[in-house]
Amino acid sequence: MTPEKQAAPAGAATLPLPPMKWDAWGDPALARELSADIRGLLAAALGVTGDAAPGPAAAEVVLRPCALTPDDLAALAAVVGEAHLGTSDADRLPRAGGKSTPDLLRRRSRDPQDAPDAVVLPGGEEEIAALLALCAERRIAVVPFGGGTSVVGGLEPLRGEFAAVVSLDLRRLDGLLGLDPTSGEAVLGAGLTGPAAEALLAEHGLELGHYPQSFRYATVGGFAATRSSGQNSAGHGRFDEMVRGLRVVTPAGVLDLGRGPASAAGPDLRALFLGSEGTLGVITAVRVRVHPLPAARAHEAWSFPDFATGAQALRAVEQQGTGPTVIRLSDEAETMVNLAMTERIGGEPAAGGCLAVTVFEGTADQVAARHRLTRDALLAAGATSLGEAPALAWEHGRFDAPYLRDALLDAGALCETLETATDWRRLPGLRSAVTAALTAALPGALVLCHISHVYPTGASLYFTVVGALGEDPLERWAAAKRAAGDAIAAAGATITHHHAVGTDHRPWMAEEIGEVGVRVLRAVKAELDPAGILNPGKLIP
Ligand SMILES: Cc1cc2nc3c(=O)[nH]c(=O)nc-3n(C[C@H](O)[C@H](O)[C@H](O)COP(=O)(O)OP(=O)(O)OC[C@H]3O[C@@H](n4cnc5c(N)ncnc54)[C@H](O)[C@@H]3O)c2cc1C
């Protein structure tokens, strides 16, 4: 990469920008500052003293020059129109990656940064098909861009064997394309963000009910492409369970998949595209099941003496099918840190132990019945009720934690997360193994864990690591991530329950799906994307 900037692509943005800050999470107006108490805690517990060196302002970032020729740019503009092609640094920089901690650390670098060579905003399937044909012919890589919230390197501007890469931003595919209240189905444009989709459905008294922590910015197409899982998964399932149908534009043609409420017409091809992470095609529309907006809701938080008791209680609830919409359990360390960070999380603070949160939704009768059954099961399994306040407080702040990560980075602390899942039997061993791997790789760091999603047969574990940034935080985290990934693979757990694969989990894919599985994915890719332009270097080993 040369540090010199080309004159041509620099300058002001010509396209609408992604709604998030280019070098941090979310809305700058919601940025958080750490209190003196929390800074004191970071210094005492982790040796974090002194702020991190500030990163460059957007205008100071030196971007890799645009490698597209004037002829390429004219051809792209001929498909989407001049108004929907961006080549300025200000257009390219916000699409240069996702929002993992390594992404944010790279944005803070004063070294030259990588970015897509151009950004295109197609208006529909015909333009997407034409763009894919053009890029295959001109040998340009394509990175589909939804909300830009990937945390696994899914938006890295990788070129593979090609000279250039374009970011294909799907924000213009933002319509409610169909609604069938009788069947409880809606067709959503892939570029709709979570709030935009819910607002359109709410006009009809309906809800999708998919609330990942990235809800405010992630898109319907991104949810499908990454097999996302939301915080209400106990009640409404993962996103892939909500999907009834998909439309996908591939270089080989368009697929319209999913008929009827269920089918035995051979293997379910929708499953090929759910989790395909933009490597096989561009998802343009998703038909999802929807349900009436809940008429009633109830909240209750719980304390368990230890994580093992809490995990057994969650298993009992899930295996009995007592029906909470949300159920999650923090381990001792996460409970303690949450209390310290928020001082009081509302109501009576839990004194140590492990905090669990439950939320119930439905009609008033359903909520009452589900609440009572779950309550009985949790109390029988050793829970103490903390009332509704801590659960309401969790819900109130549930999309705000990523702002805290930015504040921690500013204060010189490394904060990153990873997740996995396994069956209930192996869950305790998995938690110990991953915690040990992270602690050994990052001595002195805090490793926190919670059960984020439950199933009758198992659960997912979500780890948060907070430590000192150190001299080379990217390498420090890469080493910790390798250690954790190896521990997950050795324990027979999945390398990712909902964050997807991207570049970061690709090294473990062959181990997870086997050599024949890799050949199947490569064969499908060769059929649908013979030139290999779609997201090279991601997902498929
Ligand atoms: C703070 C934070 C919290 C998060 N919390 C959760 C969580 O609770 N649950 C969860 O599941 N995930 C979570 N994530 C991860 C991320 O938000 C999800 O993976 C999300 O589904 C990505 O959607 P997106 O629209 O932002 O996609 P992007 O990040 O833009 O893209 C993700 C990948 O999908 C591809 N892609 C995007 N759109 C399309 C399309 N239409 N067709 C084909 N390929 C496409 C991209 O090329 C990329 O490889 C979180 C991320 C952050 C930063």
Side-chain angles (χ1 to χ4, degrees):
M1 193 190 308
T2 59
E4 299 83 33
K5 281 208 264 192
Q6 266 191 352
T14 61
L15 301 177
L17 292 176
M20 272 192 285
K21 255 193 114 202
W22 64 281
D23 60 347
W25 181 252
D27 176 355
L30 298 179
R32 287 174 67 162
E33 295 224 338
L34 298 182
S35 67
D37 279 0
I38 291 175
R39 282 177 174 269
L41 205 69
L42 286 174
L46 305 174
V48 172
T49 49
D51 291 345
E60 294 170 334
V61 174
V62 179
L63 274 197
R64 175 177 174 143
C66 172
L68 290 161
T69 64
D71 196 46
D72 291 332
L73 294 172
L76 291 167
V79 175
V80 290
E82 288 284 351
H84 299 120
L85 170 70
T87 53
S88 71
D89 285 5
D91 290 319
R92 299 190 298 136
L93 182 58
R95 281 108 174 166
K99 294 293 179 192
S100 67
T101 298
D103 284 320
L104 299 182
L105 289 168
R106 281 191 282 270
R107 297 291 84 81
R108 286 167 182 239
S109 165
R110 290 183 179 273
D111 293 335
Q113 298 193 22
D114 202 355
D117 296 287
V119 180
V120 284
L121 267 61
E125 286 186 355
E126 281 182 17
E127 288 184 8
I128 293 172
L131 283 171
L132 296 183
L134 184 83
C135 289
E137 184 195 319
R138 289 177 178 258
R139 304 193 52 74
I140 300 167
V142 177
V143 178
F145 187 96
T149 67
S150 170
V151 279
V152 292
L155 297 167
E156 281 292 287
L158 299 183
R159 289 156 180 82
E161 62 187 75
F162 308 105
V165 58
V166 296
S167 172
L168 193 152
D169 187 326
L170 291 149
R171 62 189 299 145
R172 291 176 68 206
L173 278 60
D174 61 353
L176 173 61
L177 307 173
L179 189 63
D180 176 355
T182 308
S183 310
E185 288 189 342
V187 183
L188 302 171
L192 280 169
T193 61
E198 292 294 4
L200 287 169
L201 292 170
E203 287 174 16
H204 303 273
L206 296 167
E207 185 196 38
L208 175 61
H210 183 65
Y211 297 108
Q213 196 184 51
S214 53
F215 166 74
R216 287 177 180 153
Y217 299 98
T219 59
V220 166
F223 296 151
T226 61
R227 296 175 79 188
S228 162
S229 196
Q231 291 163 348
N232 294 14
S233 64
H236 302 309
R238 298 160 56 90
F239 191 76
D240 49 16
E241 293 172 299
M242 301 176 179
V243 173
R244 313 289 0 124
L246 287 169
R247 280 185 68 83
V248 191
V249 178
T250 76
V254 179
L255 290 103
D256 189 353
L257 299 168
R259 287 195 185 183
S263 165
D268 188 348
L269 289 184
R270 290 173 303 184
L272 261 184
F273 295 95
L274 292 168
S276 60
E277 300 183 33
T279 61
L280 303 179
V282 179
I283 297 165
T284 56
V286 186
R287 186 158 47 85
V288 287
R289 77 172 187 229
V290 292
H291 54 263
L293 281 163
R297 310 184 76 231
H299 302 75
E300 190 158 10
W302 310 88
S303 180
F304 289 95
D306 53 57
F307 188 74
T309 308
Q312 278 178 33
L314 264 62
R315 175 168 66 82
V317 164
E318 184 59 14
Q319 290 181 340
Q320 285 175 28
T322 62
T325 308
V326 176
I327 186 161
R328 47 198 288 126
L329 170 76
S330 295
D331 73 357
E332 292 87 347
E334 188 173 282
T335 302
M336 185 191 73
V337 168
N338 282 346
L339 283 171
M341 295 302 255
T342 52
E343 279 137 355
R344 255 173 104 85
I345 52 175
E348 287 307 309
C354 293
L355 178 77
V357 167
T358 50
V359 182
F360 306 87
E361 294 181 341
T363 64
D365 287 348
Q366 284 168 338
V367 167
R370 290 168 184 167
H371 194 172
R372 183 174 46 77
L373 286 169
T374 303
R375 185 163 229 282
D376 291 348
L378 292 176
L379 290 172
T384 305
S385 174
L386 299 174
E388 70 172 359
L392 284 168
W394 168 81
E395 189 175 74
H396 180 70
R398 67 171 160 166
F399 302 129
D400 293 336
Y403 293 104
L404 189 58
R405 176 179 59 165
D406 292 325
L408 287 166
L409 281 175
D410 288 342
L414 177 76
C415 175
E416 182 57 309
T417 63
L418 58 87
E419 39 73 59
T420 175
T422 193
D423 48 59
W424 288 110
R425 184 173 53 80
R426 287 184 284 188
L427 202 72
L430 177 63
R431 175 167 162 258
S432 307
V434 176
T435 304
L438 289 168
T439 310
L442 295 171
L446 268 176
V447 180
L448 323 174
C449 179
H450 66 255
I451 291 182
S452 55
H453 304 273
V454 292
Y455 304 91
T457 56
S460 78
L461 291 177
Y462 188 95
F463 294 87
T464 303
V465 184
V466 188
L469 270 179
E471 281 298 305
D472 185 351
L474 276 170
E475 183 41 43
R476 262 164 75 72
W477 176 248
K481 179 79 182 171
R482 276 195 299 275
D486 289 347
I488 287 169
T494 181
I495 194 64
T496 172
H497 167 266
H498 58 266
H499 279 169
V501 179
T503 52
D504 295 7
H505 293 139
R506 192 167 171 250
W508 291 277
M509 271 301 276
E511 150 90 34
E512 177 133 355
I513 63 173
E515 186 245 332
V516 179
V518 172
R519 289 205 329 253
V520 169
L521 285 184
R522 286 184 186 158
V524 174
K525 168 100 175 154
E527 183 62 34
L528 296 176
D529 177 23
I533 53 168
L534 281 164
N535 259 343
K538 297 177 194 146
L539 173 62
I540 305 172

